[in-house]
Amino acid sequence: MPRKFGEIAFTPEVKAAQEQRGSRQTYERYIANGPSNDAITPKIEEFIAQLNGFYLGTVSSNGYPYIQFRGGPPGFLKVLDEKTLGFTDFTGNVQYITVGNLSGNNKAFLFLMDYRHRKRIKIWGTAEYVEDNPALIERLRVPDYPAAIERAILFHVEATSENCQEHIPIRYSETEVEAMIAPLQARIAELEQQLSDKPEA
């Protein structure tokens, strides 16, 4: 089990709950002997590159968590280095909850889900929004994607954890479904053409 994940997620309250329910010793041993997992590995970078969406968590000044789905073309969440992820913040509903939350508390969380391959990765860290930095925005821009960009958001990685596949439903994106049925549609069109060309008896 990743050591940095345990250091962040296993608060005194969580440890007390584990102690009461008999799992504390097991997790203590896992954390003590586990790898740090506090950076983006090539494997995680490859996983991130094919994502077309993820969930971003921030914390409001009144203590409530705020979870928001962020979507875009594959590759819009970019690995800038082993400790930094970045993406462009597109114009949305102008509520600016994420921006406001990050202004008061920079703690943040990424939940990366690949339903097609039943894989998920959690990333803990801090985040910041960056405005009036054309060079950074250009670095994060997705070519030929028309959405208006308001700012960049940088996520600084502190811990990662990969979960097991159990209970993750398999789902396919529209693009994946279109790719799977394309050969079938082509075959149907071919057979229909053969029937139309066949002379009547």
Side-chain angles (χ1 to χ4, degrees), residues 10-128:
F10 295 166
T11 62
E13 294 79 10
V14 172
K15 290 179 181 179
Q18 293 171 348
E19 188 70 40
Q20 292 170 5
R21 292 159 179 81
S23 65
R24 181 65 208 143
Q25 288 186 343
T26 299
Y27 281 118
E28 189 70 44
R29 185 171 62 254
Y30 284 159
I31 294 302
N33 299 322
S36 294
N37 283 30
D38 59 353
I40 300 299
T41 63
K43 181 181 177 182
I44 295 178
E45 182 171 5
E46 182 180 350
F47 175 78
I48 288 174
Q50 52 82 40
L51 292 178
N52 61 3
F54 59 89
Y55 298 92
L56 171 66
T58 56
V59 183
S60 67
S61 60
N62 58 10
Y64 284 93
Y66 179 70
I67 308 298
Q68 185 179 60
F69 179 79
R70 294 300 183 108
F76 82 102
L77 177 61
K78 299 183 183 299
V79 177
L80 302 181
D81 58 54
E82 66 174 11
K83 290 284 193 176
T84 313
L85 304 175
F87 61 94
T88 49
D89 190 19
F90 304 128
T91 299
N93 58 16
V94 299
Q95 291 181 346
Y96 300 117
I97 296 176
T98 295
V99 169
N101 286 351
L102 291 177
S103 297
N105 188 334
N106 67 353
K107 293 291 191 296
F109 180 81
L110 291 178
F111 191 92
L112 311 180
M113 176 67 83
D114 178 359
Y115 290 102
R116 168 67 178 84
H117 300 100
R118 301 180 68 216
K119 183 176 180 180
R120 60 188 167 197
I121 295 177
K122 300 174 183 177
I123 305 180
W124 286 259
T126 61
E128 60 177 311

Side-chain angles (χ1 to χ4, degrees), residues 126-172:
T126 61
E128 60 177 311
Y129 63 89
V130 181
E131 297 178 325
D132 301 321
N133 188 330
L136 177 61
I137 289 178
E138 194 59 36
R139 185 179 179 190
L140 296 174
R141 184 187 302 276
V142 178
D144 302 321
Y145 192 63
I149 298 171
E150 290 195 358
R151 66 189 56 79
I153 293 182
L154 298 179
F155 188 98
H156 305 288
V157 177
E158 294 182 8
T160 70
S161 177
E162 185 175 339
N163 285 100
C164 67
Q165 294 181 333
E166 190 174 4
H167 304 307
I168 299 178
I170 298 178
R171 295 175 181 167
Y172 298 90

